[in-house]
Amino acid sequence: MEIKKLVHLTMDEVVSLGDFGYVSSQKYEVKKEESLQAVSINMNLIDLDEPYVKQEMNEEDDLNRYEELVKQGYSLGLYIDNKLAALAISEGQTWNNTLMLWHLHVHEDHRRQKYGHMLLNRVIELAQENGFRAITLETQNTNVPAIQFYKQCGFEIEGIDLSMYDLGEGNEEVALFMRRKF
């Protein structure tokens, strides 16, 4: 196993990582109360009657953006037998001196082996070596496994965007911004 900076990223490499998405049997129910005197947003973890399934598509626009971000030098790949098994796509943001983690994905054959932890720890080291004050990421209230993973890695929920996603029929996603400060 080797972790190294990504130099470029091809569609074939991304496709080789398998399906992107998640399944969760829980979600954080988000409720907002607002008056002239106060605003309150509460999140409560609840069990779902049926698992929430999200299948993400990596479209050509996403891949083109990732290829541009890779050129910054903050994106990493985890290789097993010289084959990409996991990736972390990150972007340096000078306006607030943070590293934005856009995408972290481990091939399903390599999950539950601590590769995600190893890769994220290397991203954290890279951020610190480059003088960033924090790492930020966005996930959804419906992706409880990711939230728990990031909390285990020292991240905290610091922001909520109630209208980032189209809340059409059947979609209950709320954007959660998590951060790990140094």
Side-chain angles (χ1 to χ4, degrees), residues 70-122:
V70 163
K71 293 175 185 175
Q72 286 189 2
Y74 304 119
S75 298
L76 303 174
L78 184 142
Y79 294 83
I80 298 174
D81 298 326
N82 294 315
K83 183 178 176 188
L84 185 64
L87 60 71
I89 304 294
S90 303
E91 175 183 20
Q93 298 185 324
T94 56
W95 70 275
N96 66 355
N97 195 29
T98 63
L99 188 66
M100 181 69 176
L101 179 61
W102 285 106
H103 204 92
L104 179 70
H105 182 77
V106 178
H107 187 281
E108 65 185 51
D109 290 347
H110 301 291
R111 292 182 187 153
R112 307 263 185 266
Q113 298 176 45
K114 300 291 184 190
Y115 291 133
H117 284 274
M118 286 187 263
L119 186 57
L120 185 55
N121 284 336
R122 184 62 191 112

Side-chain angles (χ1 to χ4, degrees), residues 44-56:
N44 292 303
L45 185 62
I46 62 168
D47 293 326
L48 299 173
D49 293 334
E50 292 185 27
Y52 187 88
V53 178
K54 181 170 184 180
Q55 187 67 36
E56 295 182 21

Side-chain angles (χ1 to χ4, degrees), residues 2-34:
E2 179 183 19
I3 296 175
K4 57 186 177 181
K5 284 186 181 180
L6 291 173
V7 178
H8 63 85
L9 186 65
T10 67
M11 176 69 108
D12 289 340
E13 288 174 308
V14 172
V15 169
S16 76
L17 289 173
D19 292 334
F20 286 64
Y22 60 88
V23 176
S24 182
S25 60
Q26 298 176 306
K27 75 171 186 177
Y28 281 94
E29 186 176 59
V30 181
K31 293 184 179 178
K32 175 183 167 186
E33 294 180 22
E34 186 171 355

